[in-house]
Amino acid sequence: SEAAKADAAAARPHHHPPPPPSLRGRDGSGTGPRFELRETPKLVRDVMSRKLFTVEPDTILKDLQQHMHTFRIGHLPVVDGEKLVGLVTHNDLLHASSSFLSEQANERNAIIHTVPVSRIMQRELITVGPDDTLIDVARIIWEARVGCVLVVENDDKLIGIVTEGDFLRIAHHFLKGAAEAPT
């Protein structure tokens, strides 16, 4: 019956579906990739991605790897409400998966896919604020050897992310400016 199906769906752990590709890597105008910077960036808020695909701690691992591959997402913030509580990277998912060389890979992965994100997420996170300088963030990413920093406000409310890819955009911005400058 339809009521039984609705009850079963409500009982399942809540899972955020992946965003459409237009939500990541676009400039808000919807007209193309968000690679060009409009002005010279100085602060985190100038380059951070604001539209994020997030998961909750009880989200199961089953579809996360496919979503990350499909939408080219390397870092998944884990939130409880609006509060940042963890991070799952593509490498974390690979580490949690059974090796394809194992004779029991399919059986092991079937079990692993039922595990909640909270079992594999990173809990010690590097966070910055929107008004932190990009110079400081570049140093933090370099010294900590991480692929991203998470941007938070008031009581760990997640508002954005800055990745190594964002620093490639910044490098492109400055290199393009230098190449176009008269000599």
Side-chain angles (χ1 to χ4, degrees):
S1 86
E2 292 301 313
K5 287 180 185 176
D7 288 343
R12 277 185 247 136
H14 182 67
H15 173 70
H16 295 274
S22 62
L23 288 184
R24 283 199 51 88
R26 300 242 177 216
D27 64 0
S29 68
T31 59
R34 186 181 58 103
F35 188 78
E36 298 289 330
L37 295 170
R38 293 192 178 123
E39 54 192 58
T40 301
K42 293 182 174 106
L43 302 176
V44 167
R45 72 174 63 254
D46 298 333
V47 298
M48 72 182 192
S49 298
R50 290 174 166 78
K51 295 180 180 178
L52 304 170
F53 175 37
T54 63
V55 293
E56 295 174 347
D58 60 354
T59 302
I60 60 171
L61 299 180
K62 181 179 180 204
D63 298 321
L64 291 187
Q65 187 168 351
Q66 181 60 41
H67 293 333
M68 290 176 84
H69 175 74
T70 300
F71 296 105
R72 299 179 66 194
I73 299 169
H75 309 90
L76 277 171
V78 183
V79 294
D80 187 1
E82 292 183 343
K83 184 177 179 174
L84 176 66
V85 296
L87 176 70
V88 175
T89 67
H90 183 67
N91 284 342
D92 295 329
L93 287 174
L94 289 176
H95 184 71
S97 297
S98 182
S99 170
F100 72 93
L101 299 174
S102 169
E103 291 179 13
Q104 293 87 24
N106 290 337
E107 295 85 5
R108 289 179 179 172
N109 281 332
I111 294 168
I112 291 167
H113 287 164
T114 65
V115 170
V117 167
S118 60
R119 294 271 307 271
I120 69 162
M121 71 182 186
Q122 300 171 33
R123 296 172 189 276
E124 293 184 23
L125 307 172
I126 298 176
T127 61
V128 297
D131 294 321
D132 288 345
T133 68
L134 291 172
I135 292 170
D136 289 339
V137 173
R139 181 186 46 76
I140 290 167
I141 287 175
W142 179 261
E143 290 176 356
R145 305 237 188 290
V146 294
C148 74
V149 292
L150 300 159
V151 186
V152 296
E153 283 186 323
N154 315 328
D155 299 325
D156 293 328
K157 177 184 175 187
L158 178 68
I159 62 168
I161 189 171
V162 177
T163 67
E164 292 170 312
D166 293 316
F167 279 96
L168 287 174
R169 289 177 43 227
I170 294 167
H172 176 267
H173 175 79
F174 285 111
L175 293 169
K176 183 178 173 190
E180 294 171 352
T183 35

